[in-house]
Coordinates of all heavy atoms in Angstrom, one line a residue:
L1 N 0.8 -1.2 0.0 CA 0.0 0.0 0.0 C 0.9 1.3 0.0 O 0.5 2.2 -0.7 CB -0.9 0.0 1.2 CG -2.0 -1.0 1.3 CD1 -2.9 -0.8 2.6 CD2 -2.9 -0.9 0.1
G2 N 1.9 1.2 0.8 CA 2.8 2.4 0.9 C 3.3 2.9 -0.4 O 3.3 4.2 -0.6
E3 N 3.7 2.1 -1.2 CA 4.2 2.5 -2.5 C 3.2 3.2 -3.3 O 3.4 4.3 -3.9 CB 4.7 1.3 -3.3 CG 5.3 1.6 -4.7 CD 5.7 0.4 -5.5 OE1 5.5 -0.7 -5.0 OE2 6.1 0.6 -6.6
K4 N 2.0 2.7 -3.4 CA 0.9 3.3 -4.2 C 0.4 4.6 -3.5 O 0.1 5.6 -4.2 CB -0.2 2.3 -4.4 CG 0.1 1.1 -5.1 CD 0.5 1.4 -6.6 CE 0.8 0.1 -7.4 NZ 1.1 0.4 -8.8
V5 N 0.2 4.6 -2.2 CA -0.3 5.8 -1.5 C 0.7 6.9 -1.6 O 0.3 8.1 -1.8 CB -0.6 5.4 0.0 CG1 -1.0 6.7 0.7 CG2 -1.8 4.5 0.1
G6 N 2.0 6.6 -1.5 CA 3.0 7.6 -1.6 C 3.0 8.3 -3.0 O 3.1 9.5 -3.1
Q7 N 2.8 7.4 -4.0 CA 2.7 8.0 -5.4 C 1.5 9.0 -5.5 O 1.6 10.0 -6.1 CB 2.5 6.9 -6.4 CG 3.8 6.0 -6.6 CD 3.6 4.8 -7.4 OE1 2.5 4.6 -7.9 NE2 4.6 4.0 -7.6
A8 N 0.3 8.6 -4.9 CA -0.8 9.4 -4.9 C -0.7 10.7 -4.2 O -1.2 11.8 -4.6 CB -2.0 8.7 -4.4
L9 N 0.1 10.7 -3.1 CA 0.3 11.9 -2.2 C 1.5 12.7 -2.7 O 1.6 13.9 -2.3 CB 0.5 11.5 -0.8 CG -0.7 10.9 -0.1 CD1 -0.3 10.4 1.3 CD2 -1.9 11.9 0.0
G10 N 2.3 12.2 -3.6 CA 3.4 12.9 -4.0 C 4.6 13.0 -3.1 O 5.5 13.8 -3.2
Q11 N 4.6 12.1 -2.1 CA 5.7 12.0 -1.1 C 5.9 10.5 -0.8 O 4.9 9.8 -0.7 CB 5.3 12.8 0.2 CG 5.4 14.3 0.1 CD 6.8 14.8 -0.1 OE1 7.8 14.2 0.1 NE2 6.8 16.1 -0.7
P12 N 7.1 10.1 -0.6 CA 7.4 8.7 -0.3 C 6.8 8.3 1.1 O 6.8 9.1 2.1 CB 8.9 8.6 -0.3 CG 9.4 10.0 -0.1 CD 8.4 10.9 -0.7
I13 N 6.3 7.1 1.2 CA 5.9 6.5 2.5 C 7.1 5.6 2.9 O 7.6 4.7 2.2 CB 4.7 5.6 2.3 CG1 3.5 6.3 1.8 CG2 4.4 4.9 3.7 CD1 3.0 7.4 2.6
V14 N 7.6 5.9 4.1 CA 8.8 5.2 4.7 C 8.3 4.2 5.7 O 7.7 4.6 6.7 CB 9.8 6.2 5.3 CG1 11.0 5.5 5.9 CG2 10.3 7.3 4.3
I15 N 8.5 2.9 5.4 CA 8.1 1.9 6.3 C 9.2 1.7 7.4 O 10.4 1.5 7.1 CB 7.9 0.5 5.6 CG1 6.9 0.7 4.5 CG2 7.5 -0.5 6.6 CD1 5.6 1.1 4.9
E16 N 8.8 1.8 8.7 CA 9.7 1.7 9.8 C 9.2 0.5 10.7 O 8.2 0.5 11.3 CB 9.7 3.0 10.6 CG 10.7 2.9 11.8 CD 10.7 4.3 12.5 OE1 10.7 5.3 11.9 OE2 10.6 4.3 13.8
N17 N 10.0 -0.6 10.7 CA 9.6 -1.8 11.5 C 10.1 -1.7 12.9 O 11.3 -1.4 13.1 CB 10.2 -3.0 10.8 CG 9.7 -3.3 9.4 OD1 10.2 -2.8 8.4 ND2 8.6 -4.0 9.4
R18 N 9.2 -1.8 13.8 CA 9.5 -1.8 15.2 C 8.8 -3.0 15.9 O 7.7 -2.8 16.5 CB 9.1 -0.5 15.9 CG 9.9 0.7 15.4 CD 9.9 1.8 16.5 NE 10.5 3.0 16.0 CZ 10.7 4.1 16.8 NH1 10.2 4.1 18.1 NH2 11.3 5.2 16.4
A19 N 9.4 -4.1 15.8 CA 8.8 -5.3 16.4 C 9.1 -5.5 17.8 O 10.0 -4.9 18.4 CB 9.4 -6.5 15.6
G20 N 8.3 -6.4 18.5 CA 8.5 -6.7 19.9 C 7.4 -6.5 20.8 O 6.5 -5.7 20.5
A21 N 7.4 -7.2 21.9 CA 6.4 -7.0 23.0 C 4.9 -7.2 22.5 O 4.1 -6.4 22.8 CB 6.6 -5.7 23.7
G22 N 4.7 -8.2 21.6 CA 3.4 -8.4 21.1 C 2.8 -7.2 20.3 O 1.6 -6.9 20.4
H23 N 3.7 -6.5 19.6 CA 3.4 -5.4 18.8 C 3.3 -4.1 19.6 O 3.0 -3.0 19.0 CB 2.0 -5.5 18.0 CG 2.0 -6.7 17.1 ND1 1.0 -6.9 16.1 CD2 2.9 -7.7 16.9 CE1 1.3 -8.0 15.4 NE2 2.4 -8.5 15.9
A24 N 3.5 -4.1 20.9 CA 3.3 -2.9 21.7 C 4.4 -1.9 21.5 O 4.1 -0.7 21.7 CB 3.2 -3.3 23.2
I25 N 5.6 -2.3 21.2 CA 6.7 -1.4 21.0 C 6.4 -0.4 19.9 O 6.5 0.8 20.0 CB 8.0 -2.1 20.8 CG1 8.4 -2.8 22.1 CG2 9.1 -1.2 20.4 CD1 9.7 -3.7 22.0
G26 N 6.1 -1.0 18.7 CA 5.8 -0.2 17.6 C 4.6 0.7 17.7 O 4.5 1.9 17.3
T27 N 3.5 0.1 18.4 CA 2.3 0.9 18.6 C 2.5 2.0 19.6 O 2.0 3.1 19.4 CB 1.2 -0.1 19.1 OG1 1.1 -1.2 18.2 CG2 -0.1 0.7 19.2
E28 N 3.3 1.8 20.6 CA 3.7 2.9 21.5 C 4.4 4.0 20.8 O 4.2 5.2 21.1 CB 4.5 2.4 22.6 CG 4.9 3.5 23.7 CD 5.8 3.0 24.8 OE1 6.1 1.8 24.8 OE2 6.2 3.9 25.6
A29 N 5.2 3.7 19.8 CA 6.0 4.7 19.0 C 5.0 5.6 18.3 O 5.2 6.8 18.1 CB 6.9 4.1 18.1
V30 N 3.9 5.0 17.8 CA 2.9 5.8 17.1 C 2.2 6.7 18.1 O 2.0 7.9 17.9 CB 1.8 4.9 16.5 CG1 0.7 5.7 15.8 CG2 2.5 4.0 15.4
A31 N 1.9 6.2 19.3 CA 1.2 7.0 20.3 C 2.0 8.2 20.8 O 1.5 9.3 21.1 CB 0.9 6.1 21.5
R32 N 3.3 8.0 20.8 CA 4.2 9.1 21.3 C 4.7 10.1 20.2 O 5.3 11.1 20.4 CB 5.5 8.5 21.9 CG 5.2 7.5 23.0 CD 4.8 8.2 24.3 NE 4.3 7.3 25.3 CZ 3.1 7.1 25.6 NH1 2.1 7.7 25.0 NH2 2.7 6.2 26.6
A33 N 4.3 9.8 18.9 CA 4.7 10.6 17.8 C 3.9 11.9 17.8 O 2.8 12.0 18.3 CB 4.6 9.9 16.5
A34 N 4.5 12.9 17.1 CA 3.8 14.2 17.0 C 2.5 14.0 16.1 O 2.6 13.4 15.0 CB 4.7 15.3 16.4
P35 N 1.4 14.6 16.5 CA 0.2 14.4 15.6 C 0.1 15.4 14.5 O -0.8 16.2 14.4 CB -0.9 14.7 16.7 CG -0.3 15.7 17.6 CD 1.1 15.3 17.7
D36 N 1.2 15.4 13.7 CA 1.3 16.4 12.6 C 1.0 15.8 11.2 O 1.2 16.5 10.2 CB 2.7 17.0 12.6 CG 3.8 15.9 12.5 OD1 3.5 14.7 12.3 OD2 5.0 16.3 12.6
G37 N 0.5 14.6 11.1 CA 0.2 14.0 9.9 C 1.4 13.3 9.2 O 1.2 12.8 8.0
Y38 N 2.5 13.2 9.9 CA 3.7 12.6 9.2 C 4.1 11.2 9.9 O 5.1 10.7 9.6 CB 4.9 13.6 9.2 CG 4.6 14.7 8.3 CD1 4.1 15.9 8.7 CD2 4.8 14.5 6.9 CE1 3.8 16.9 7.8 CE2 4.5 15.5 6.0 CZ 4.0 16.7 6.5 OH 3.7 17.7 5.6
T39 N 3.2 10.8 10.8 CA 3.4 9.4 11.4 C 2.1 8.7 11.4 O 1.1 9.3 11.9 CB 4.0 9.5 12.8 OG1 5.3 10.1 12.8 CG2 4.1 8.1 13.4

């Protein structure tokens, strides 16, 4: 999806893998990110 959505938006989608703790590590990183539309 990221490849196609990035093309539609005119900006690349960068996939960042943060595995561990039953998915909680990556999900916490989303919760702590700035709510500016870039995460």
Side-chain angles (χ1 to χ4, degrees):
L1 291 184
E3 179 183 0
K4 298 294 185 180
V5 172
Q7 291 172 0
L9 293 174
Q11 289 291 341
I13 302 293
V14 179
I15 304 299
E16 182 177 316
N17 296 91
R18 292 203 185 186
H23 299 192
I25 290 176
T27 307
E28 181 183 355
V30 179
R32 302 288 172 256
D36 57 5
Y38 290 96
T39 299

